[in-house]
């Protein structure tokens, strides 16, 4: 069993806690003491705050850290939003390209060849409605036709294809 020290002799590196320091404790250790007990200063209960090493962070340091963290969080959120928008644009270009390729195959395999002029229409693909336009023009060589196909959705042009084919005989 450990007994409290009742001596009034001060030990190096410690402070008196108890009747001499205040019967009901101190700010650093509010528990009341009934006996004069020596508590070492390295226990973190020293009443001398000026001589003690600084512990924790100041309010300014916390505010600066919070500002840096919030800037990093905003940058990551912006990056995530940009990735989402980029993926949506890539999907639109891909689906528009698929529809343009399908229309190009139809124009290449159509018998007889499409007549010079413009045509347009709507075509559903992947649950979305796409507008397309096809412009057929003659070239300097009367046996070759130029076919321009443009596909767009509500946001704008998604794909464009240019092909050449033999004119109808």
């Amino acid at each position: 069993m450990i007994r409290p020290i009742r001596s009034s002799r001060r030990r190096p590196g410690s402070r008196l806690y108890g009747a001499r320091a205040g019967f009901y404790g101190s700010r650093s250790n509010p528990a009341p003491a009934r006996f004069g007990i020596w508590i070492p200063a390295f226990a973190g209960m020293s009443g001398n705050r000026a001589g003690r090493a600084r512990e924790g962070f100041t309010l300014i340091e916390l505010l600066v850290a919070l500002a840096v963290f919030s800037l990093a969080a905003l940058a990551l959120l912006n990056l995530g939003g940009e990735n989402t928008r980029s993926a949506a644009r890539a999907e639109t270009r891909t689906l528009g390209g698929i529809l343009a390729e399908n229309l190009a195959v139809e124009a290449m395999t159509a018998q007889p060849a499409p007549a010079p002029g413009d045509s347009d229409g709507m075509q559903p693909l992947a649950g979305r409605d796409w507008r397309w336009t096809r412009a057929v023009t003659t070239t300097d060589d009367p046996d070759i036709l130029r076919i321009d196909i443009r596909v767009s959705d509500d946001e704008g042009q998604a794909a464009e294809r240019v092909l050449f084919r033999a004119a109808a005989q």
Side-chain angles (χ1 to χ4, degrees):
M1 177 173 156
I2 300 175
R3 296 182 181 205
I5 300 173
R6 296 176 193 240
S7 171
S8 63
R9 183 173 55 92
R10 184 169 170 88
R11 296 182 182 160
S14 64
R15 66 179 180 85
L16 178 63
Y17 179 75
R20 294 177 194 222
F23 184 75
Y24 292 105
S26 66
R27 273 189 251 156
S28 60
N29 189 358
R34 302 205 184 263
F35 305 104
I37 301 173
W38 291 97
I39 298 175
F42 60 82
M45 298 181 213
S46 174
N48 183 6
R49 293 189 184 270
R52 196 165 58 167
R54 193 174 82 164
E55 296 177 11
F57 298 103
T58 65
L59 181 60
I60 300 285
E61 291 171 335
L62 287 176
L63 289 175
V64 168
L66 183 62
V68 169
F69 176 75
S70 64
L71 288 175
L74 285 174
L76 288 174
L77 286 173
N78 189 22
L79 180 65
E82 187 59 36
N83 284 341
T84 303
R85 287 186 292 275
S86 178
R89 284 191 301 267
E91 178 187 20
T92 299
R93 284 193 313 266
T94 302
L95 291 175
I98 290 171
L99 182 58
E101 292 290 330
N102 288 345
L103 292 170
V105 168
E106 287 177 7
M108 288 296 286
T109 58
Q111 290 299 330
D118 293 340
S119 59
D120 59 355
M122 294 284 286
Q123 180 109 11
L125 178 66
R128 294 160 62 177
D129 289 328
W130 300 85
R131 289 183 309 278
W132 58 268
T133 59
R134 181 177 65 199
V136 180
T137 56
T138 56
T139 60
D140 291 337
D141 186 350
D143 294 333
I144 297 178
L145 295 175
R146 175 186 170 132
I147 303 172
D148 295 305
I149 299 172
R150 290 182 184 83
V151 176
S152 59
D153 65 350
D154 297 334
E155 298 170 0
Q157 184 170 332
E160 180 176 10
R161 299 292 185 265
V162 177
L163 56 131
F164 296 92
R165 81 161 273 173
Q169 310 295 322

